[in-house]
Amino acid sequence: MAEHVIPHFHNDSGVALIEIGVQEFMCVGAKPPFDHPHIFIDLGASGERVCPYCSTLYRHNPRLHGTESNPPGHLFVEPLAA
């Protein structure tokens, strides 16, 4: 069983760089229905990585907590079914 929930981040705004408060996450690209395959990314020792699908550069920022992002608002939350 997973120790923690892996946050998902999107880039609907099309910015080149998103700083995040975690080292491991899922990139979804744009929000559905324009998303790409949701892929796991580990920022590793360098603390940054480019998504191979949408070319967003993600960088770890230790001043951010958990699901925060800079610019703000890039956490993807799956809509609840009605």
Side-chain angles (χ1 to χ4, degrees):
M1 186 160 200
E3 294 178 18
H4 57 280
V5 175
I6 303 294
H8 291 55
F9 290 94
H10 69 83
N11 191 6
D12 258 5
S13 60
V15 296
L17 168 67
I18 299 175
E19 295 181 318
I20 56 176
V22 294
Q23 287 279 101
E24 299 176 337
F25 66 99
M26 301 285 282
C27 179
V28 303
K31 291 180 186 172
F34 305 107
D35 52 336
H36 61 55
H38 300 189
I39 62 165
F40 177 81
I41 298 177
D42 182 340
L43 298 179
S46 70
E48 65 181 36
R49 182 99 8 129
V50 174
C51 174
Y53 283 98
C54 65
S55 300
T56 301
L57 173 61
Y58 288 95
R59 181 177 297 147
H60 180 249
N61 181 337
R63 293 181 304 250
L64 299 174
H65 299 283
T67 57
E68 292 180 324
S69 66
N70 183 30
H74 288 274
L75 178 68
F76 174 69
V77 179
E78 191 74 43
L80 297 175

